[in-house]
Amino acid sequence: IRPDGQRIVWGSTDRKGGAGGWDLWQARLIDGRWQQPEPLTINSAANDFDPLFSADGRWLYFFSNRPGGKGGDDLYRAAVQADGSYGAAENLGSGVNSRGDEWAPTPSRDGKQLLFASNGFGGAGRHDLFVATWNGRAFVDPKPVPGVNTAADEFDAAWLGDGRAIVFARSSDVEHDPIRLYLAQCDGSRYGEATPLA
């Protein structure tokens, strides 16, 4: 949901009217209901998914496997214009995009860090959670999120309370096995043992 609460963007698979496989769609809040769904102009014929607005509402982050990326699924963002339309999709670059797949870009509230999942930067196994830092020009130097990564897939994470806790999805194999949500609290340097949400 955009920070002003007036628009919602979501990913939809194979929905009629989209540009390709997985597309980003938007609806407006009218009379207390989401109405007038329409595909975004930044969609490609490839997959576009996992949208999230920055806290200041200036950017829409997402992943895509469109041509011209660094590997499989790459992280992108598009500027949100004053009229609510979107600028061109910008690849976030090799600082966060590998030859593997990157998913679920989640900027911190202050915009100085980017939380995401990747299977291309090594780690504990399969998809792991990483945090990259904004250096003034790009997000760079991704580091594994301390305390949460395992040999399973960890992905679709969100910070709570400016990082005091993290909620994320875990599956032994995201394409074939059940997916559960987990919560982990931070002790100041690392996240403690993750527990499944009830």
Side-chain angles (χ1 to χ4, degrees):
I1 298 176
R2 202 169 70 179
D4 66 7
Q6 297 306 299
R7 299 185 191 217
I8 186 171
V9 174
W10 71 96
S12 188
T13 60
D14 300 318
R15 180 173 179 155
K16 186 177 180 181
W22 301 0
D23 289 311
L24 302 177
W25 285 71
Q26 176 175 262
R28 302 166 192 265
L29 188 64
I30 302 171
D31 297 328
R33 294 178 53 235
W34 297 114
Q35 300 184 49
Q36 300 177 358
E38 58 185 1
L40 298 191
T41 57
I42 58 174
N43 285 323
S44 69
N47 290 342
D48 304 289
F49 213 67
D50 279 353
L52 189 77
F53 286 102
S54 60
D56 60 11
R58 294 179 53 215
W59 298 98
L60 179 69
Y61 289 80
F62 61 100
F63 84 65
S64 178
N65 64 354
R66 63 185 62 198
K70 307 295 180 186
D73 299 325
D74 275 8
L75 305 182
Y76 287 79
R77 71 179 186 176
V80 180
Q81 312 289 0
D83 64 358
S85 64
Y86 298 91
E90 303 173 6
N91 187 292
L92 294 187
S94 57
V96 292
N97 288 318
S98 70
R99 292 188 177 195
D101 294 323
E102 282 72 45
W103 299 340
T106 305
S108 59
R109 194 173 302 186
D110 62 9
K112 294 180 180 178
Q113 294 183 305
L114 186 71
L115 174 65
F116 65 98
S118 176
N119 64 2
F121 288 103
R126 302 186 65 85
H127 274 85
D128 286 325
L129 299 178
F130 293 85
V131 175
T133 303
W134 181 255
N135 70 0
R137 299 183 311 276
F139 289 105
V140 297
D141 195 25
K143 304 286 188 190
V145 174
V148 298
N149 293 321
T150 68
D153 282 303
E154 282 84 27
F155 58 101
D156 285 359
W159 280 304
L160 303 179
D162 287 331
R164 290 191 297 274
I166 190 171
V167 174
F168 62 95
R170 178 180 283 161
S171 173
S172 58
D173 182 346
V174 67
E175 294 181 3
H176 303 102
D177 294 335
I179 299 170
R180 295 197 69 184
L181 290 176
Y182 286 77
L183 173 69
Q185 303 284 342
C186 186
D187 65 7
S189 61
R190 62 184 284 114
Y191 291 89
E193 183 177 351
T195 57
L197 293 182

